[in-house]
Amino acid sequence: MANYYLAVDIGASGGRHILGSVEDGKIVLEEIYRFENGMVKKDGHRCWDTKRLFGEIKAGLKKCKETGKIPVSMGIDTWAVDYVLLDENDKVLGNTYGYRDHRMNGMDEEVYRIIPEKELYARTGIQKQIFNTIYQLTAHKVKEPELLKKAKTFLMLPDYFHFLLTGNKVSEYTNATSGQLVSPETKQWDMELIEMLGFPKEMFLPLSMPGTVVGKFSREVEEEVGFSCEAVLPATHDTASAVMAVPARSEDCLYISSGTWSLMGVENEKAICSMESMEKNFTNEGGYEYRFRYLKNIMGLWMIQSVRHELKDAYSFAQLCDMAEEAKEFPSRVDVNDGCFLAPDNMTEAIKTYCKETGQQAPETAGELAAVIYQSLAESYRATAEEIETITGKHYPAINIVGGGSNAAYLNKLTAEKSGRTVYAGPGEGTAIGNLMAQMIKAGEFTGLKEARASVFESFGVKTYGK
């Protein structure tokens, strides 16, 4: 009998429990459980309901027991940058804020009073995003200093969930790097920077690599879910897991991890912390085996997801793609990375307003709205590919798209057309597969990343677009 491994993959809009096994060298997936996620309004802020999310994690584990498919190990990945602060009794201090909350407004200037922006980039290699952990912790320092003073442990969200399962506190490397507080040289927290910023350095735990064993379930969790297994760190940042699953046929390929966000980049052995890189807003996030994910955050399917909800979910994403293709002659475009699209009260109105303010025709129909979004995204991908080639001095003839967005056939076709590159689309469950790969490599199912990636290419239907 093949061993089962469990990936708990939690995104900003939903989570899923996916069992994986290796049969005849191929990875086989089975979705066991799925649940909704989203920020909740609390005290006027956008927050995460971690208690409910942990309940969903356990509900999915119980489903494994019900089906008689008990994993030998499991691991949790989530989106980046968000965290909890624990007190001396391991209780959460205050709210667990979401990255779309507005409390970080102005916190960049607070940070730059202590360390100039250029110096910060040269030191961390991480692109400026107002929701980065560095600005969130600064908001804690400025607005809730009493909570920060009480904090004894800092844990990113997946590390917190692993702690709730096992009672062991372990901080994972790839997710930590996204927060702009880790040194690309030492691959550990930059304690000198942390002290400069006035954060309690004793609350930060040493960083561990994917494949590290966190521990077995606590007795309490074991009794509730009906079994115990090892929690093993995947790349807990969902994009780091998704990039692990890129079924690259060569080293010289671009990738897009396509979901709520589109993360587009390449893998490098060393961080690129040049001023040109900073000005183009590229980041050097940590990856598996200390590879650097040199990438740019691009507003992804968040825009079309939001418009779909505003249309009362009357259309599937496939239908919206078809409608966008029918309206392909509609001429207007938006800068998908403009801050007005990060968390608008109404995405449809934000797009219309942007078009009007830039002297363009405002979209009226669902097809026109979808056309503006998909065309604008594809053009952003093309521009980003060209920037990467300029900075690295390399040519990348192919783009590998993984994640849920790899199913958007029309967007894939547009990306190939506009970029002049071959697009390989799939697998769709890239993040969960990458999560499983870290566990499978740890267990000896694969000798390493290269063999695991070759298996991904053979295991899942990767579609080709363009030349």
Side-chain angles (χ1 to χ4, degrees):
M1 285 288 292
N3 285 327
Y4 290 107
Y5 305 86
L6 177 67
V8 182
D9 169 30
I10 310 177
S13 56
R16 59 214 134 253
H17 290 54
I18 294 182
L19 282 172
S21 56
V22 181
E23 298 176 16
D24 299 324
K26 291 187 177 182
I27 299 171
V28 179
L29 303 181
E30 180 183 354
E31 184 179 298
I32 290 290
Y33 188 71
R34 184 175 282 262
F35 57 93
E36 293 289 311
N37 190 22
M39 294 178 203
V40 295
K41 286 285 180 73
K42 188 180 176 188
D43 306 326
H45 292 279
R46 295 175 189 237
C47 301
W48 298 109
D49 186 347
T50 52
K51 190 173 180 181
R52 186 186 74 79
L53 285 174
F54 187 53
E56 296 285 14
I57 291 168
K58 290 187 290 185
L61 292 171
K62 290 173 189 172
K63 193 64 78 171
C64 292
K65 174 69 174 175
E66 285 172 25
T67 58
K69 295 176 179 177
I70 308 297
V72 295
S73 70
M74 61 83 67
I76 302 169
D77 66 78
T78 73
W79 63 95
V81 304
D82 292 340
Y83 59 89
V84 296
L85 299 176
L86 303 181
D87 67 12
E88 58 192 3
N89 298 313
D90 294 331
K91 301 301 180 193
V92 176
L93 289 160
N95 292 324
T96 303
Y97 295 103
Y99 62 86
R100 292 188 195 275
D101 186 58
H102 297 298
R103 74 193 178 108
M104 289 82 74
N105 293 351
M107 293 302 117
D108 47 351
E109 295 307 317
E110 289 288 330
V111 169
Y112 302 150
R113 272 200 274 274
I114 298 165
I115 178 169
E117 184 176 5
K118 288 182 179 178
E119 191 179 323
L120 180 63
Y121 186 86
R123 188 170 187 131
T124 66
I126 299 298
Q127 80 178 120
K128 178 189 174 180
Q129 299 273 18
I130 195 60
F131 49 69
N132 285 353
T133 312
I134 189 172
Y135 306 115
Q136 294 205 47
L137 280 169
T138 300
H140 256 118
K141 186 180 81 167
V142 171
K143 299 177 180 182
E144 299 176 288
E146 70 287 352
L147 293 185
L148 198 58
K149 281 177 188 163
K150 289 180 186 172
K152 298 300 178 191
T153 311
F154 166 96
L155 290 176
M156 306 292 277
L157 284 187
D159 300 329
Y160 175 57
F161 292 133
H162 285 136
F163 163 64
L164 291 179
L165 286 170
T166 66
N168 297 329
K169 299 173 192 165
V170 180
S171 283
E172 191 271 331
Y173 166 74
T174 66
N175 205 10
T177 63
S178 65
Q180 215 169 355
L181 290 166
V182 173
S183 165
E185 298 298 323
T186 66
K187 280 85 168 180
Q188 287 291 334
W189 297 111
D190 186 334
M191 288 302 183
E192 186 181 22
L193 174 62
I194 284 166
E195 274 194 297
M196 284 167 59
L197 294 164
F199 307 149
K201 67 177 184 178
E202 61 277 4
M203 71 180 183
F204 294 91
L205 304 174
L207 299 178
S208 299
M209 283 299 292
T212 301
V213 175
V214 180
K216 286 189 173 291
F217 293 170
S218 67
R219 186 173 299 167
E220 184 183 25
V221 170
E222 181 180 356
E223 287 174 359
E224 184 176 350
V225 303
F227 69 93
S228 185
C229 74
E230 273 189 337
V232 172
L233 289 182
T236 63
H237 181 185
D238 51 10
T239 311
S241 273
V243 171
M244 277 186 73
V246 170
R249 306 299 279 175
S250 73
E251 294 289 316
D252 293 333
C253 78
L254 296 152
Y255 58 77
I256 301 174
S257 174
S258 181
T260 302
W261 291 91
S262 290
L263 297 307
M264 184 172 187
V266 293
E267 283 187 307
N268 290 331
E269 289 183 9
K270 290 191 173 180
I272 300 174
C273 301
S274 66
M275 285 305 99
E276 181 186 15
S277 180
M278 186 192 89
E279 284 157 11
K280 298 290 187 189
N281 217 17
F282 280 89
T283 199
N284 297 269
E285 292 177 350
Y288 185 74
E289 291 182 333
Y290 296 121
R291 289 168 168 78
F292 285 96
R293 293 176 288 118
Y294 186 65
L295 59 85
K296 178 177 280 195
N297 276 22
I298 300 168
M299 194 76 72
L301 300 179
W302 161 248
M303 294 177 73
I304 197 71
Q305 289 165 354
S306 299
V307 166
R308 180 172 176 260
H309 286 320
E310 288 157 13
L311 293 167
K312 310 295 185 200
D313 296 333
Y315 307 104
S316 68
F317 288 114
Q319 286 174 311
L320 286 169
C321 275
D322 290 342
M323 292 157 75
E325 189 155 19
E326 285 172 21
K328 65 184 177 183
E329 300 305 323
F330 190 77
S332 301
R333 303 286 183 270
V334 298
D335 175 2
V336 294
N337 294 318
D338 192 285
C340 68
F341 302 124
L342 182 62
D345 291 331
N346 186 289
M347 184 66 75
T348 300
E349 290 308 313
I351 293 168
K352 289 181 178 181
T353 299
Y354 183 99
C355 289
K356 288 172 186 171
E357 289 179 351
T358 52
Q360 302 180 86
Q361 183 181 345
E364 296 299 334
T365 67
E368 287 172 353
L369 279 163
V372 170
I373 292 169
Y374 286 126
Q375 293 275 353
S376 299
L377 269 175
E379 290 188 5
S380 182
Y381 296 161
R382 174 194 53 75
T384 301
E386 290 169 1
E387 287 173 348
I388 291 170
E389 290 192 339
T390 299
I391 292 169
T392 62
K394 287 184 181 176
H395 175 57
Y396 299 94
I399 301 173
N400 285 257
I401 302 178
V402 297
S406 68
N407 297 317
Y410 179 55
L411 180 57
N412 297 335
K413 184 177 145 192
L414 278 178
T415 301
E417 286 173 3
K418 291 184 184 291
S419 72
R421 293 168 172 80
T422 304
V423 167
Y424 297 104
E429 291 286 2
T431 301
I433 293 166
N435 180 323
L436 293 167
M437 286 163 68
Q439 298 179 57
M440 290 169 172
I441 293 168
K442 155 74 176 61
E445 300 277 7
F446 299 110
T447 56
L449 186 59
K450 188 174 182 180
E451 186 181 10
R453 278 179 165 165
S455 175
V456 172
F457 192 90
E458 295 301 325
S459 304
F460 305 98
V462 177
K463 295 179 180 174
T464 305
Y465 298 83
K467 55 190 179 180

